[in-house]
Amino acid sequence: MNASELRDKTPDQLRDQLTALKKEAFNLRFQAATNQLENTARIRAVRRDVARVMTTLNQKAADAAKSEA
């Protein structure tokens, strides 16, 4: 997932995606703790995707606040 894809989404879609990514991150942590995780790089990728989504949400909120003022 890249930032340009995220900018095209609505805040509600981004929140839904953030929820899904956080659930995936939890499941990956659980798999890592029980030594069942096969792709350890996925944890890093999911963490970065969460950060991208949160950054995009914050940017959209700032833009909305700026346009109201």
Side-chain angles (χ1 to χ4, degrees), residues 13-14 18 28 46 48 53 61 67:
Q13 291 173 327
L14 289 171
L18 183 61
L28 289 171
V46 169
R48 289 181 178 203
V53 170
S67 65

Side-chain angles (χ1 to χ4, degrees), residues 6-36:
L6 294 175
R7 283 188 217 109
D8 295 337
K9 295 187 177 188
T10 65
D12 288 335
Q13 291 173 327
L14 289 171
R15 283 188 209 93
D16 291 343
Q17 187 166 8
L18 183 61
T19 302
L21 285 169
K22 286 190 174 191
K23 285 181 184 178
E24 183 179 357
F26 173 79
N27 289 331
L28 289 171
R29 284 195 314 269
F30 194 85
Q31 288 176 8
T34 58
N35 292 325
Q36 295 176 345

